[in-house]
Amino acid sequence: MGLTEIRTAMKVDLKKPADQQDGLHNRWHPDVPFAGKIKGGEVVKIECVDWTGGQIGNNDSADDMKNIDLTKIHYLTGPFDVEGAEPGDVLVVEIQDVQPFQEQPWGFTGVFDKDNGGGFLDEIYPNAAKAIWDFEGIFCSSRHLPHIRFPGLIHPGILGCAPSAEILAEWNRREAELISTTELQRIVAQPPQPQNVHAGSASGDLKEKVGKEGARTIPGRPEHGGNCDIKNLSRGSKTFLPVHVAGAKFSVGDLHFSQGDGEISFCGAIEMAGVITLSLTVMKNGVRDLDMKSPLFLPGPVEPHYGPGRYLTFEGFSVDEKGKQHYMDATVAYRQATLRCIEYLRRYGYSDYQVYLMLSCAPIQGHVGGLVDIPNACMTLGLPMDIFDFDISPVGPAKKLDMGACAVASK
Amino acid sequence: MGLTEIRTAMKVDLKKPADQQDGLHNRWHPDVPFAGKIKGGEVVKIECVDWTGGQIGNNDSADDMKNIDLTKIHYLTGPFDVEGAEPGDVLVVEIQDVQPFQEQPWGFTGVFDKDNGGGFLDEIYPNAAKAIWDFEGIFCSSRHLPHIRFPGLIHPGILGCAPSAEILAEWNRREAELISTTELQRIVAQPPQPQNVHAGSASGDLKEKVGKEGARTIPGRPEHGGNCDIKNLSRGSKTFLPVHVAGAKFSVGDLHFSQGDGEISFCGAIEMAGVITLSLTVMKNGVRDLDMKSPLFLPGPVEPHYGPGRYLTFEGFSVDEKGKQHYMDATVAYRQATLRCIEYLRRYGYSDYQVYLMLSCAPIQGHVGGLVDIPNACMTLGLPMDIFDFDISPVGPAKKLDMGACAVASK
Amino acid sequence: MGLTEIRTAMKVDLKKPADQQDGLHNRWHPDVPFAGKIKGGEVVKIECVDWTGGQIGNNDSADDMKNIDLTKIHYLTGPFDVEGAEPGDVLVVEIQDVQPFQEQPWGFTGVFDKDNGGGFLDEIYPNAAKAIWDFEGIFCSSRHLPHIRFPGLIHPGILGCAPSAEILAEWNRREAELISTTELQRIVAQPPQPQNVHAGSASGDLKEKVGKEGARTIPGRPEHGGNCDIKNLSRGSKTFLPVHVAGAKFSVGDLHFSQGDGEISFCGAIEMAGVITLSLTVMKNGVRDLDMKSPLFLPGPVEPHYGPGRYLTFEGFSVDEKGKQHYMDATVAYRQATLRCIEYLRRYGYSDYQVYLMLSCAPIQGHVGGLVDIPNACMTLGLPMDIFDFDISPVGPAKKLDMGACAVASK
Amino acid sequence: MGLTEIRTAMKVDLKKPADQQDGLHNRWHPDVPFAGKIKGGEVVKIECVDWTGGQIGNNDSADDMKNIDLTKIHYLTGPFDVEGAEPGDVLVVEIQDVQPFQEQPWGFTGVFDKDNGGGFLDEIYPNAAKAIWDFEGIFCSSRHLPHIRFPGLIHPGILGCAPSAEILAEWNRREAELISTTELQRIVAQPPQPQNVHAGSASGDLKEKVGKEGARTIPGRPEHGGNCDIKNLSRGSKTFLPVHVAGAKFSVGDLHFSQGDGEISFCGAIEMAGVITLSLTVMKNGVRDLDMKSPLFLPGPVEPHYGPGRYLTFEGFSVDEKGKQHYMDATVAYRQATLRCIEYLRRYGYSDYQVYLMLSCAPIQGHVGGLVDIPNACMTLGLPMDIFDFDISPVGPAKKLDMGACAVASK
């Protein structure tokens, strides 16, 4: 009794390449070997590298962001064998804490180059950019984004159980169909990618198989959650995940110190390495009992709260920046709301890229307004005024401040 | 000093047809005559009919919903001549109260027939349905939706200033283009509609002109707001609206006792007639000073709050119900989240149409999750558990309750 | 169905003296005749005069406050015969709305003269003072207290059921004992007061009896609640009141547009006449089932919220302003916290009386800190910074503003 | 740049007696030697032992609580020399994190014996009792208090700067006066206590002087704060402390994982050893500029929030349990509110001592109701219903559960 530490179910080594660590993997596949075992109801700590596996440095250049190797992402910790979990069960994940490593109290937010990753606003902002964040307890601040500071709603971007072979096949089918039928002049989805596959302890044929079939970790998917990037999956939250394979094969990673709704610059959260403390409980036959097709969750009770009246809120509609009317397109509408906010904050001296980074990682609220008033979807973006150390309320002309610069890529 | 009532800038008569009342109009056009005058900074009350102008009755049939004449909507009160307002100014609207009429303490939520109005889920739920809500102070409940009761986040669905002739022309151009180019097999926008046009006190040529050119009030639009259906424009909020014509020609209407994010069934809020108390203040040259292209707002400090941990939250992804992968489509993703919630609540005995109505009007939080993880947009729908009088937390199989029925249309 | 107004169980006439209206009374006594009947579960409106019965005017003098006749207060509406309520039951009061009268959209806050009423700080601030508040929807502001404005957490100061004869006797016994044994040089309690007794429709012997025996309405009392002056008994709250006599004899009054914790200037809330909407439900044998000796309640979900970080909070300890150490005295400690706040706000140009009025009626949070650290009780006073239109955060010297003056009494 | 850990300004050794560690002290005195230096604006970690210095064990007996040596408490870390701080300045302490040690993830709540420490309810509950709490990330639960679990609002019970010699003399004067004049039959204050004095690195004459003159750390005091036991001084808070000696001599300790308002059982918070991360900033001449006599603070934005409607709230009045009427005594009133809550929760099977422990450490809200309604002060105690895993809402008779037992002392 007493003095008992919580067990660490998996450690990582920040000084060793991620793809040399058996407790990590970067594809979703039912055959990735188990990395460890967790009892039902057990509380464990799980260490995670940052999603890029250490490709980004704490410096003032965005060249690393520009040249990032995206075939490697995301490095997740797991998969874990959860005692007693079987297909049809629900895995209840209670997140009890998320912390950066004490010896690495910093993280990063990036804008990818349009030709290597892109992002929500890449047609307007095609260049790579970066901000480094320093962590001081619950707070973060950045030398690249002066005059803001806020507590993180810390969370994992990714948590989920492995797909079954059938589900994996369906993912590959439908995403391939999209790739083959799209009329968009851009990459719309990432098919399995053997290059830089990391399947934990698997090697040889098994690793090759995972590389050929394994789903990329980039999108969240309805059948298991995965990279849903929901900022509210923070401390105290309980997520209900469907189990598709024996032992659940639960993985977690992509820790975020903070993220805005939408995570708009793609590498948009404050990405970090760290430790997550969680418990895993099996709800037998939960998929049937809850009639559950996708994960659901209860947020925790300790989110930062500023009061509703402290959110300066921008409206966006599904008319794009060229004046084209889209039909009920919430994505276009949310993009417009982000552009309205950029225009507003630019008045104070921030560069557009600085605001793009800020909206990606600060605790922005992205809400649905009206989604039925044809042809215009209306979305809102709420910006908490209290994260600024000056008054941004809409009272008239803005006074420009010295805002320095975010890190940019060399030509 | 003392005993001074707040001035009512416009009264309506609930017993008289809406189109016979000069203080109402149902098209956006710069030439609709002024209905009254309001001083800068003045606090006034403005009475409003419900958005349909009284077409819906307090009864147990949805035939009125099925047969609604949509050429008549929405009946707005105004436009008002705001002293000193000129193009380029910003009109600051502080909403100080919204109340139903004491003699009509009820409202309605409807699902339109797919062939007459439709809605967010009309491909799955094509029939008309209705729920009547009784108001008891801040609370509402419905004989058509047992076991829920909640305080309203009361607000106007529509507020805005009249477009200039140039802006109106642009609206008509771009919406006509959508209509003429869409490949969707459905009505995607509503062009000007002379039938049932009501242009306030205008008659003859002027009324005919408004009918031919006037924009429908159905969509919100970026240049002025209008029907944005944002539930947070409630008591205590301050909305900043661009002014496009001399005197602003401010109109308001479509009062909602409550609405969920998305207002998904289209007639989805709890629609009501009532009185709004507001002040109108002119910020000279505000459009330039705030670099404002669309309205922005500060919500009020008195929204209902349940604590973040009290929202059961459903995840939706942009894979539709037929298994088709869409590219970063937040609209599809939010639709999936609503379907997940319907499936969940159906377990307790609610019919799908009852939940469809409920999600339209209860204080549902529709949030953006990740909007960059190609190809899947992720959206969330948060359902406040405390509006139910039984426990809906995800603990296992559900026990069915007697849920009665919502009003449905005759065949 | 439809168009049915909520029944008004009792009307008042603001132009008629309160003591000539049978629906009002100003003493607690089991024999005050019923003023009306309310069914179990019924929703009703009940009209109330202000607690003084109209003694205070909307003007710029505090003479009325100085010369107030306190033998008349409080005028409550009732008592009501609640169908089926018997001793031992619990009456569940759900407050659904509280509103000022439309034709009287104003209220008042007063400091009494030390020799006629007094208050929490009367030894320091012995003179009468007053502020008049104008109501604009949910907001209030005062010409006597510039630069603040806030939404009201509107509520009744008093609600309760009549005492039984036994309970009344016990009240009179213990308060008489305090009066006869106190060593304080001040009025410590008010015994029954025949002068200006108003016992509703009672006259003659019965009225005389009520005058001689009836408890004053000034204090709240543990057996029934009464004048507890808890600001959180606002819209949406549910209060559980013990029933002591057949029919409950429920009364309500002393409506407050807003109040700070402590209501420190005694006439300290924003006092008003108005209408309360509520439902009354009987919980049979509730006193035994809940093991209830004093009322308990659940607040409503719609209180104003500013975020915890927006409350500038002052600490007070049980060492009084003369340097005397008191033993664990939370009252002294809270008084010190209020004095610290007065000193702080005085820096901006407010007079002490203005702040005294402000702390009485603005949404101040008075919290217990430590109550065990002998000999010092610690109490805190939280002041919401967002009710000011200038920045009061503690960043250095204050700039004085033109703060006008509150109403004061003539010499 | 990067990879830089936050400096730990002082480490403690949990295996070594507290009084052998130079970085700790247990009396307030201006001559306690500096334990370390902190730069203005610097972020540091400071380690702390639990307030008893390790006297309490993780076991199921309360004998250690009964026999505690109170002459030793509290062991604080410091005092620190804050660069540039001089008398008249204000030290701004931003708390950025508080964490238990990873190797000791547990804490304790105790009731002292009436004859050795006592507490708020010791006349009714005179025996020692104890509960041990396990920490799982932000959550805590106890084998001694089944069916509750909650996130901690983690904070230091004590933070403050050393008194000047003059202030110390005044403390000793006024507390001695209370001791010599009280008519209460109990210990009302603790004078300087040479026994077990620990003055950091001081020895010989200096240590003896500190023992003879040094103020006990038990009470908070208006001139510097100290043991104010305010639960809201948690992560993200900013406290403004007056500086009385050169270098400030800032100390901190008595870390609490959680505490209810009042900390009623005296050892009532969840006491723990751990690490606090904070920054110290000097505001020159702040005492004058803020006209500050006692500390003030801004809470942080990340407190747990359940929604106001989730607090079951008990009313207490200043009539004690023997029926005696006290005059405006908020302490008596709050005691009554705690007794009402004990009576209520007893219905579910908890022992009174279990509830006494629970109210001491769970996130209870203790609020001022009315403090002017002579003779009755009214105080409220709000109990968050969501910390229980069963429904405690007031709906009728309670069903008893198996509640086990808290640790008790042997006879």
Side-chain angles (χ1 to χ4, degrees), chain B residues 1-5 58 94 96 99 102-103 105-106 136-139 143 149 235-236 301 303-305, chain C residues 1-5 45 58 94 96 99 102-103 105-106 136-139 143 149 235-236 301 303-305:
Chain B
M1 209 169 299
L3 292 170
T4 317
E5 280 195 66
N58 186 341
E94 187 182 70
Q96 294 164 341
Q99 293 283 346
Q102 288 199 36
E103 65 272 21
W106 62 271
E136 296 175 351
I138 61 168
F139 289 103
R143 62 186 181 267
R149 184 161 179 271
R235 294 189 273 212
E303 305 194 343
H305 47 134
Chain C
M1 209 171 298
L3 291 170
T4 318
E5 280 195 67
K45 295 188 183 222
N58 187 341
E94 188 182 70
Q96 294 164 343
Q99 292 284 346
Q102 289 199 35
E103 66 272 21
W106 63 272
E136 296 175 353
I138 61 168
F139 289 104
R143 63 188 181 265
R149 184 163 179 269
R235 294 188 272 214
E303 305 194 344
H305 47 135

Side-chain angles (χ1 to χ4, degrees), chain B residues 325-369:
Chain B
Q325 179 69 58
H326 296 254
Y327 174 71
M328 297 314 298
D329 191 321
T331 306
V332 169
Y334 193 59
R335 186 175 290 121
Q336 293 305 305
T338 64
L339 293 173
R340 294 300 85 76
C341 186
I342 291 174
E343 290 151 8
Y344 186 87
L345 289 178
R346 183 197 286 154
R347 298 155 56 240
Y348 298 104
Y350 287 117
S351 74
D352 287 19
Y353 278 92
Q354 281 179 312
V355 184
Y356 189 10
L357 289 163
M358 186 194 304
L359 300 186
S360 299
C361 66
I364 304 303
Q365 306 288 356
H367 261 272
V368 176

Side-chain angles (χ1 to χ4, degrees), chain C residues 311-326:
Chain C
Y311 285 88
L312 182 60
T313 308
F314 298 85
E315 302 179 6
F317 298 84
S318 54
V319 176
D320 70 22
E321 56 278 15
K322 289 163 192 151
K324 183 176 170 188
Q325 178 70 59
H326 295 254

Side-chain angles (χ1 to χ4, degrees), chain A residues 10-12 21-25 35 47 76-80 198 200-201:
Chain A
M10 181 58 63
K11 284 184 181 298
V12 299
Q21 302 189 44
D22 283 359
L24 304 178
H25 64 105
E47 296 186 357
L76 307 179
T77 306
F80 293 97
H198 180 42
S201 62

Side-chain angles (χ1 to χ4, degrees), chain B residues 106-378:
Chain B
W106 62 271
F108 57 91
T109 299
V111 175
F112 286 146
D113 190 282
K114 185 173 186 300
D115 295 329
N116 186 28
F120 195 56
L121 305 177
D122 58 11
E123 309 219 338
I124 303 170
Y125 305 114
N127 301 321
K130 192 173 78 177
I132 297 295
W133 297 86
D134 296 312
F135 305 149
E136 296 175 351
I138 61 168
F139 289 103
C140 62
S141 59
S142 170
R143 62 186 181 267
H144 298 122
L145 266 171
H147 295 293
I148 70 170
R149 184 161 179 271
F150 51 85
L153 182 58
I154 202 164
H155 64 277
I158 298 182
L159 73 176
C161 300
S164 64
E166 295 70 30
I167 288 174
L168 177 61
E170 167 64 7
W171 292 355
N172 285 335
R173 180 203 65 73
R174 74 184 178 218
E175 292 174 22
E177 184 182 275
L178 174 70
I179 293 169
S180 66
T181 58
T182 186
E183 295 175 355
L184 295 170
Q185 301 302 311
R186 57 181 302 149
I187 293 170
V188 294
Q190 299 275 10
Q193 167 61 277
Q195 189 186 340
N196 282 317
V197 62
H198 179 44
S201 61
S203 59
D205 288 354
L206 179 54
K207 182 172 178 179
E208 196 182 321
K209 185 184 184 205
V210 171
K212 280 204 308 208
E213 300 172 356
R216 298 302 307 274
T217 57
I218 294 171
R221 293 180 181 93
E223 292 85 354
H224 83 144
N227 191 24
C228 43
D229 284 326
I230 296 169
K231 71 180 191 309
N232 309 83
L233 297 182
S234 185
R235 294 189 273 212
S237 68
K238 267 188 180 177
T239 304
F240 297 75
L241 296 172
V243 173
H244 299 297
V245 300
K249 292 207 164 174
F250 170 79
S251 298
V252 64
D254 190 22
L255 302 188
H256 295 165
F257 192 85
S258 176
Q259 186 207 291
D261 278 345
E263 202 199 2
I264 60 172
S265 74
F266 198 5
C267 183
I270 301 181
E271 311 286 347
M272 66 174 207
V275 190
I276 185 167
T277 306
L278 50 73
S279 71
L280 298 176
T281 310
V282 177
M283 182 189 285
K284 296 306 295 179
N285 301 308
V287 167
R288 184 195 63 202
D289 286 347
L290 302 182
D291 198 1
M292 195 169 104
K293 292 188 182 152
S294 290
L296 50 87
F297 65 96
L298 289 165
V302 290
E303 305 194 343
H305 47 134
Y306 299 102
R310 303 299 298 169
Y311 285 88
L312 181 60
T313 308
F314 298 85
E315 302 180 6
F317 298 84
S318 55
V319 177
D320 71 21
E321 56 278 16
K322 289 164 193 151
K324 182 175 173 189
Q325 179 69 58
H326 296 254
Y327 174 71
M328 297 314 298
D329 191 321
T331 306
V332 169
Y334 193 59
R335 186 175 290 121
Q336 293 305 305
T338 64
L339 293 173
R340 294 300 85 76
C341 186
I342 291 174
E343 290 151 8
Y344 186 87
L345 289 178
R346 183 197 286 154
R347 298 155 56 240
Y348 298 104
Y350 287 117
S351 74
D352 287 19
Y353 278 92
Q354 281 179 312
V355 184
Y356 189 10
L357 289 163
M358 186 194 304
L359 300 186
S360 299
C361 66
I364 304 303
Q365 306 288 356
H367 261 272
V368 176
L371 258 186
V372 288
D373 304 313
I374 59 168
N376 265 323
C378 172

Side-chain angles (χ1 to χ4, degrees), chain C residues 318 325-329 373-377, chain D residues 175 178 188-190 219:
Chain C
S318 54
Q325 178 70 59
H326 295 254
Y327 173 71
M328 299 312 301
D329 192 321
D373 304 314
I374 59 168
N376 264 324
Chain D
E175 292 175 22
L178 174 69
V188 293
Q190 298 276 9

